[in-house]
Amino acid sequence: LPSLSESVLRGDRNAISRAISSVENEDANYRTLVSELYSHTGSAFIVGITGPPGTGKSSLVGLLVKKYREKGKRVAVLAVDPTSPISGGAILGDRVRMLEHSLDPDVYIRSMASRGSEGGLSRVSRNAVRILDAAGFDVIFVETVGIGQTEVDIVRIADVVVVVLMPELGDEIQAAKAGLMEIGDIFAVNKSDLPGADKVVYNLGTILSTNDAGWRQVALKVSAKRSSGTDDLVEALEKYRGSLGESKVYRARKRLVDELLEKVSEAIARDLSKRLSQDQEFDSLVEKLVRLQIDPDTAASEILSKYYLHFPSN
Ligand SMILES: Nc1nc2c(ncn2[C@@H]2O[C@H](COP(=O)(O)OP(=O)(O)OP(=O)(O)O)[C@@H](O)[C@H]2O)c(=O)[nH]1
Ligand SMILES: [Mg+2]
């Protein structure tokens, strides 16, 4: 019998679903699974789709899936919902809208809702993307609602970030306020069938900038309702992908450095607090603090040096 990871590598849908559930629940097998699949990742184009609630992200993803299918690409969609409960209406709605793709064996759609610890969803999404990547999907769309500091840090998962806005939001200030200007590579002003889209694109145009890899942010008008502008969007995505070149490795490296640092610091913090809870010296330092016999910084540096760590100097 082939192992779960072997079945994922063959693109077996059932296996992919089971594997994603495994990383979603962080069950007993998930680490083995990710370690077996990891060397098979790295070839998918990971497209993050974010923006305020209701701007048409899912509708646009549906159309993008269609466009990439026409190019013969295998496409996966991961809809990550950090707020709604497991059976959230929005997710159900997304499923219905995606129904036309549901019979296509080269399209895989999965919704994930928030559960567990903080930062857990980013970790889970990252691993879910790895499974889809290893399963051979050419393009992976990751949809998240972007409202300022969301739990899912899409920039740290995706190769490119599309921010979806709409005219009804008022003006580009909304995007700036929500911190979306920094994370977007492409701004898609959706619902351009409604009045005001040109103004939003125009205003965005005045605040677009060039990132450190030399990519100039672009703003374009789309309408998921009328299926207009999506060719331009695909073209922008492909242009972006083409521009990545060597910097794809550079960006991936940056993401991995972040991930590794995060993992190690989390582990240190957890391990340390476990040890400190059983450390009598810690207790006596607390006692001294209470009696004003030592100040907090000195106490911290004492306890840290005991564990071969350093209190950061300013
Ligand atoms: N007029 C108009 N309505 C649109 C367009 N695209 C999407 N909508 C509508 O906007 C609503 C939200 O669309 P979704 O695709 O669910 O938006 P979303 O950004 O995925 O929403 P959340 O995931 O809940 O944040 C739906 O009622 C869509 O039918 C468009 O181009 N024009
Ligand atoms: Mg949606």
Side-chain angles (χ1 to χ4, degrees):
L1 212 69
S3 71
L4 185 53
S5 51
E6 282 165 344
S7 303
V8 167
L9 290 172
R10 279 192 285 111
D12 177 332
R13 297 176 77 83
N14 212 321
I16 294 166
S17 295
R18 275 192 294 141
I20 293 180
S21 295
S22 175
V23 301
E24 193 174 19
N25 301 320
E26 304 203 319
D27 69 12
N29 303 317
Y30 98 96
R31 284 195 173 134
T32 313
L33 193 59
V34 174
S35 80
E36 285 170 356
L37 293 175
Y38 187 72
S39 66
H40 300 274
T41 65
S43 34
F45 183 36
I46 304 159
V47 180
I49 308 276
T50 194
T55 52
K57 299 177 291 297
S58 300
S59 310
L60 267 183
V61 168
L63 288 172
L64 288 171
V65 168
K66 209 171 190 170
K67 293 286 173 197
Y68 275 97
R69 283 302 296 131
E70 284 165 11
K71 292 169 176 276
K73 303 291 183 194
R74 297 184 63 218
V75 187
V77 179
L78 205 59
V80 187
D81 188 335
T83 48
S84 79
I86 311 283
S87 60
I91 288 178
L92 205 64
D94 289 347
R95 285 231 172 99
V96 174
R97 271 194 290 281
M98 294 285 188
L99 211 59
E100 63 172 303
H101 299 298
S102 65
L103 296 175
D104 184 340
D106 291 317
V107 176
Y108 182 89
I109 296 162
R110 172 81 174 226
S111 297
M112 291 197 314
S114 164
R115 63 180 89 163
S117 64
E118 198 173 301
L121 203 57
S122 293
R123 192 171 59 228
V124 163
S125 328
R126 208 149 31 196
N127 284 332
V129 164
R130 285 179 173 142
I131 285 163
L132 296 167
D133 190 345
F137 289 101
D138 302 300
V139 184
I140 302 168
F141 293 101
V142 183
E143 180 194 334
T144 65
V145 177
I147 25 174
Q149 282 290 98
T150 49
E151 201 197 346
V152 182
D153 214 341
I154 195 69
V155 202
R156 292 162 67 191
I157 294 172
D159 293 319
V160 59
V161 174
V162 178
V163 171
V164 182
L165 300 169
M166 63 180 184
E168 282 156 2
L169 288 175
D171 49 63
E172 81 290 347
I173 303 300
Q174 297 283 344
K177 270 196 194 146
L180 294 170
M181 290 315 298
E182 291 87 69
I183 67 166
D185 299 302
I186 297 167
F187 294 84
V189 179
N190 189 37
K191 309 199 185 183
S192 61
D193 51 286
L194 302 175
D198 283 312
K199 185 164 174 269
V200 179
V201 172
Y202 176 82
N203 287 338
L204 274 170
T206 64
I207 52 173
L208 297 177
S209 60
T210 304
N211 72 13
D212 52 7
W215 170 262
R216 176 94 189 143
Q217 291 176 319
V218 289
L220 36 93
K221 226 168 45 170
V222 294
S223 168
K225 188 178 180 181
R226 294 198 178 144
S227 297
S228 68
T230 42
D231 284 329
D232 294 343
L233 183 51
V234 170
E235 201 180 299
L237 282 169
E238 288 308 304
K239 198 173 156 206
Y240 184 92
R241 190 183 198 175
S243 83
L244 276 174
E246 267 301 296
S247 69
K248 167 152 178 147
V249 179
Y250 167 75
R251 286 189 150 201
R253 171 184 290 271
K254 238 167 95 175
R255 291 205 299 261
L256 291 168
V257 167
D258 281 350
E259 185 179 354
L260 194 56
L261 276 176
E262 192 181 285
K263 269 189 206 302
V264 172
S265 345
E266 263 174 30
I268 289 176
R270 271 211 223 166
D271 186 43
L272 198 59
S273 56
K274 200 170 146 197
R275 289 182 195 210
L276 291 180
S277 69
Q278 296 151 0
D279 186 334
Q280 286 178 359
E281 206 174 316
F282 183 76
D283 290 339
S284 68
L285 275 169
V286 171
E287 210 44 47
K288 280 191 188 173
L289 270 171
V290 172
R291 292 169 197 272
L292 313 180
Q293 291 163 348
I294 193 170
D295 67 280
D297 279 12
T298 310
S301 67
E302 269 187 33
I303 203 76
L304 283 167
S305 65
K306 180 178 174 185
Y307 291 94
Y308 307 103
L309 295 164
H310 297 285
F311 190 68
S313 57
N314 290 340

